[in-house]
Amino acid sequence: MTNQHIVIVGTGFAGLGMAIRLKQAGFHDFTILEQGDEVGGTWRDNHYPGAACDIESQLYSFSFEPNPAWTSEYPPQQEILRYLIHCADKYGIRPHIRFRCAATAARYEDHSGTWEVTTSDGTSITCRSLIAACGGLSRPAIPSLAGLSSFAGKVFHSARWDHAFSLSGKRVAVIGTGASAIQIVPAIAPQVGTLHLYQRTPPWIIPKRNRRFSEAQRSRYQEHPLLQKLARLLCYLRHELAGFGFVVEPKLLALLSRLVRHYIARSIPDPALRAKLTPSYTLGCKRILLSNDYYPALCRPNVELVTSAIAEVTPTGIRCADGTERALDAIILATGFAAADVVAPFPIQGRAGIQLHDAWKDGAEAYLGTTIAGFPNLFLIVGPNTGLGHSSMVYMIESQIAYIQSALATMHKDKLSTVEVKSDIQARYNQEIHERLGRTVWSSGCSSWYHTQSGKNTTLWPGFTFEFRRRTSQFRKDDYQLTSR
Ligand code: N01
């Protein structure tokens, strides 16, 4: 057993960013647990054909590590993964990482005020502070479709793509029409024999202006880093402006939807197909998707959009509620992630034996998405209600990292052994954000992964990102119960 001061779980943007900032602040006594064999989190796991970012690279990167080498505004997955690997190497994070070692449980020890983290390699680590940076999109949601396990062909989730299985000439079903599916469908449509896309709800899709960065532009960013900073700032402001429609005046999004209807009309000549692809809920209620090649792919002769509900999966295919059965060789589940219960993907037991899944039985909640009453010295990154509909999660992650760093520095300076958010502070904060969420476009009546089954929005931040940054800029001791060393 080792006695490390801090344990971080995960090496995506959140875990790596945290580790880099800790090192820069002079904290070197930390271990990172990573279940995979490389860093990168969701950008390591989601390598399906067509995987790319739908937020511009300028903003979808660490503020302290601009990348003049991005090849385009919306970089492909491999480039983002390369960037994260570069960050891990440049800042000397690898020696801290235990690869192929998942956190399997964490228990707070009341008598010592420490966390005992057990791992998949059979060891345990004692630490003073535990930082769960596991991400909201790390656990694939497998739909409970009748007969799925009886299917004799190939089945895999979009986040577990099996590149060894050739789709060439095959009869393939894609289930789901979210952000992953709209990237997968155009990428595989030219290669498969037939593609049947099972849609439950059509997404709102707007065109993607994916400019490539020329050699000259990349050199300019390299030589004049300020230019890239300016590009990032402009990109940030553009997104915050869009945030106005999400969190202040959803009617603006209704106006935008008229323009998008024209785009659909221009893209889909067939009126029957167009009707199936036109959403009936307010634009923005589910995540707005960006694509130039999704609608053209749906117009291909080998692609069929199926809107009848799936009744059951049979050993040879899928049968729909209208009685039609389609014979298939492969089923791709582009059905998203278990995100609304943002719990760390392992059991966490806090003070006095309280289990996190019990504390969160009515839906996950935390203070500033980061700390939880009853769980001293536990910090979450991308915790409850930190997600965004309008901008880059990396910005939110950096806000949380700064907050945790401020907490750890306060603990160090004031010789504190534990900090635990006061339950009334947490309750007041959550009352406020849920009142505000009720006025946003996400409460305009659609179902999405933003909500729990009972309808609580546990994933999204109800404001502008600069407000979250301001509120997380400093750890306020008054909000916490403190114990001294
Ligand atoms: O998942 P989703 P995703 N039967 O939950 C359908 C990020 N991301 O992996 O809408 C039939 O959005 C479901 O239907 P419905 C991004 O934050 C980012 O695509 O619930 N269908 C929906 O169509 C994104 O929001 C990038 O009616 C079923 C789909 O499956 C998040 O990941 C790229 C079903 C799931 O869509 C998740 O996106 C990709 C069932 N039983 C992802 N169950 C970037 O570019 C579910 N569906 C950064």
Side-chain angles (χ1 to χ4, degrees), residues 42-43 46 48 50-55 60 74-75 80 137 141-145 157-159 174-184 198-203 208 281 286-290 308-310 333-339 388 393 447-450:
T42 194
W43 291 104
N46 283 273
Y48 56 75
C53 192
D54 59 10
I55 296 284
Y60 203 85
Y74 297 95
I80 302 171
L137 303 178
I142 307 297
S144 49
L145 296 171
H157 189 273
S158 55
V174 173
I175 302 181
T177 52
S180 302
I182 69 143
Q183 295 180 336
I184 292 168
Y198 290 80
Q199 169 185 283
R200 201 163 58 178
T201 320
K208 186 176 192 177
Y281 55 89
K286 284 170 180 284
R287 191 178 169 89
I288 299 176
L289 308 181
L290 275 69
S308 176
I310 296 173
L333 305 171
T335 43
F337 301 87
L388 299 174
M393 275 312 289
S447 77
S448 73
W449 61 264
Y450 298 151

Side-chain angles (χ1 to χ4, degrees), residues 86-98:
H86 155 82
C87 291
D89 292 334
K90 173 173 173 183
Y91 292 94
I93 303 303
R94 281 188 192 276
H96 294 268
I97 305 175
R98 279 168 62 178

Side-chain angles (χ1 to χ4, degrees), residues 12 39 48 64 67 80 95-96 109 157 161 212 232 257 279-280 296 347 359 369 371-372 394 399 420 454 482:
V39 302
Y48 56 75
F64 55 82
N67 177 16
I80 302 171
H96 294 268
E109 305 287 355
H157 189 273
W161 197 274
R212 284 192 69 76
R232 182 182 167 96
S257 67
S280 56
T371 51
I372 312 161
V394 182
S399 303
E420 179 188 338
S454 64
L482 313 168

Side-chain angles (χ1 to χ4, degrees), residues 154-450:
K154 182 81 181 170
V155 183
F156 53 87
H157 189 273
S158 55
R160 299 286 180 271
W161 197 274
D162 184 351
H163 293 275
F165 180 80
S166 167
L167 293 172
S168 280
K170 301 263 170 47
R171 299 162 300 177
V172 178
V174 173
I175 302 181
T177 52
S180 302
I182 69 143
Q183 295 180 336
I184 292 168
V185 167
I188 65 170
Q191 169 199 352
V192 299
T194 50
L195 195 159
H196 308 280
L197 174 62
Y198 290 80
Q199 169 185 283
R200 201 163 58 178
T201 320
W204 280 105
I205 298 179
I206 60 175
K208 186 176 192 177
R209 195 188 62 125
N210 192 10
R211 260 184 325 127
R212 284 192 69 76
F213 293 136
S214 65
E215 195 66 48
Q217 185 150 17
R218 296 208 291 266
S219 306
R220 265 201 305 280
Y221 284 152
Q222 184 84 48
E223 286 156 26
H224 310 286
L226 262 182
L227 270 184
Q228 194 169 17
K229 278 208 163 116
L230 183 66
R232 182 182 167 96
L233 175 67
L234 291 176
C235 186
Y236 173 76
L237 293 173
R238 220 175 35 246
H239 280 274
E240 286 313 287
L241 205 61
F244 199 81
F246 287 85
V247 298
V248 181
E249 192 42 271
K251 282 195 196 114
L252 290 175
L253 293 172
L255 282 179
L256 178 62
S257 67
R258 285 200 212 151
L259 292 177
V260 183
R261 277 176 209 278
H262 286 302
Y263 171 60
I264 301 176
R266 274 204 322 275
S267 309
I268 309 286
D270 172 7
L273 182 60
R274 196 187 312 148
K276 289 181 185 175
L277 288 169
T278 305
S280 56
Y281 55 89
T282 311
L283 179 138
C285 187
K286 284 170 180 284
R287 191 178 169 89
I288 299 176
L289 308 181
L290 275 69
S291 178
N292 296 331
D293 49 12
Y294 179 65
Y295 289 145
L298 294 187
C299 297
R300 291 176 62 97
N302 68 333
V303 177
E304 180 198 18
L305 181 72
V306 182
T307 53
S308 176
I310 296 173
E312 64 165 341
V313 180
T314 67
T316 52
I318 293 180
R319 197 172 55 76
C320 285
D322 65 5
T324 315
E325 182 166 351
R326 289 168 183 85
L328 298 165
D329 301 306
I331 299 177
I332 297 165
L333 305 171
T335 43
F337 301 87
D341 30 49
V342 223
V343 75
F346 53 87
I348 297 184
Q349 179 181 302
R351 190 166 46 71
I354 179 174
Q355 301 290 337
L356 190 55
H357 69 256
D358 287 336
W360 281 0
K361 64 180 186 318
D362 298 325
E365 59 177 56
Y367 177 53
L368 297 169
T370 313
T371 51
I372 312 161
F375 296 81
N377 299 1
L378 171 67
F379 302 95
L380 310 176
I381 308 181
V382 193
N385 297 103
T386 55
L388 299 174
H390 72 278
S391 189
S392 167
M393 275 312 289
V394 182
Y395 185 92
M396 297 297 271
I397 286 171
E398 284 200 59
S399 303
Q400 288 192 279
I401 289 172
Y403 184 72
I404 297 168
Q405 210 180 320
S406 170
L408 295 173
T410 306
M411 288 171 74
H412 184 68
K413 179 167 71 64
D414 295 354
K415 299 193 172 29
L416 301 173
S417 63
T418 64
V419 296
E420 179 188 338
V421 67
K422 294 175 181 166
S423 50
D424 58 323
I425 294 283
Q426 180 178 315
R428 244 198 331 270
Y429 169 81
N430 278 280
Q431 191 182 350
E432 177 211 322
I433 59 169
H434 285 286
E435 269 170 26
R436 289 171 59 182
L437 277 166
R439 297 192 290 272
T440 63
V441 68
W442 305 300
S443 301
S444 62
C446 67
S447 77
S448 73
W449 61 264
Y450 298 151

